[in-house]
Amino acid sequence: MTGWRDLQVREQMLLIGAGILILCTLLYRQCWMPFQQYRQTTAHQITQAETQLSWMQQHAPLFQQTQHAKLTVNRSLSVAEVVSQTGKTRQLGIQRIEPQAGLVQVYFDGEQRFDWILAWLQQLQQDFGVEAVTVELEAGSPGFVRVKQLRVGRGESQ
């Protein structure tokens, strides 16, 4: 510390001021800024969650109505026939259908539109009582999926 004593009082005050300024800058950048960013992110997440909750509360009666509604299920066709006919109607690229122990394994050609697959599965369940047992999808180009595995069958409870 002999160098410090050799400095004039004015230089010492300048170095002390610079040290305080550097310390304040470090505290601001390392503590205050991350805290403020966290608060902003959390506030944004809360807003999104409140919006989602509001939407869910508005649509809950519709979901409950759908869940409790009795479905009129057409059971006159076999699962394989239902899959084949509805797949052709919806223009899905069904390559082949293989019955497997009470279930049906469905194979597709290439990529399929994701929304078409979901709508088709919903139709199978609502209109024919055919439920997806195993669904394995792989993302394809935007809006499309490759169906790696799809097994469907009639639910026991219906």
Side-chain angles (χ1 to χ4, degrees):
M1 282 294 224
T2 57
W4 179 258
R5 290 187 188 148
D6 292 341
L7 295 176
Q8 294 180 5
V9 173
R10 188 171 138 200
E11 293 170 335
Q12 289 176 350
M13 290 298 150
L14 182 62
L15 287 174
I16 290 172
I20 291 172
L21 182 63
I22 290 171
L23 181 64
C24 290
T25 302
L26 283 174
L27 285 174
Y28 176 77
R29 291 189 50 86
Q30 298 299 317
C31 296
W32 187 254
M33 280 180 61
F35 176 71
Q36 289 300 321
Q37 288 173 344
Y38 173 76
R39 282 186 57 206
Q40 287 176 345
T41 302
T42 304
H44 180 69
Q45 289 172 342
I46 289 171
T47 304
Q48 283 182 323
E50 287 171 344
T51 303
Q52 187 177 19
L53 175 63
S54 173
W55 183 89
M56 287 177 164
Q57 288 173 338
Q58 288 174 350
H59 292 85
L62 175 64
F63 293 125
Q64 290 171 349
Q65 181 182 16
T66 303
Q67 185 178 21
H68 296 298
K70 278 281 188 188
L71 300 175
T72 307
V73 176
N74 180 356
R75 292 183 171 267
S76 62
L77 300 173
S78 71
V79 175
E81 291 172 324
V82 168
V83 168
S84 177
Q85 289 178 7
T86 57
K88 285 178 187 172
T89 303
R90 290 191 172 263
Q91 299 176 343
L92 298 174
I94 295 178
Q95 184 181 30
R96 72 178 190 270
I97 299 168
E98 288 182 7
Q100 293 180 345
L103 300 174
V104 173
Q105 177 82 31
V106 185
Y107 297 92
F108 292 86
D109 290 325
E111 292 184 345
Q112 304 295 316
R113 285 188 51 156
F114 180 66
D115 55 338
W116 288 9
I117 294 289
L118 291 182
W120 177 62
L121 290 173
Q122 182 179 17
Q123 178 191 11
L124 289 176
Q125 199 236 349
Q126 289 179 348
D127 297 346
F128 302 98
V130 175
E131 299 176 347
V133 176
T134 305
V135 179
E136 188 176 343
L137 306 174
E138 184 177 275
S141 54
F144 288 81
V145 292
R146 282 182 289 286
V147 182
K148 295 180 77 175
Q149 182 178 17
L150 176 61
R151 292 176 48 194
V152 296
R154 285 219 163 92
E156 297 299 320
S157 61
Q158 294 181 340

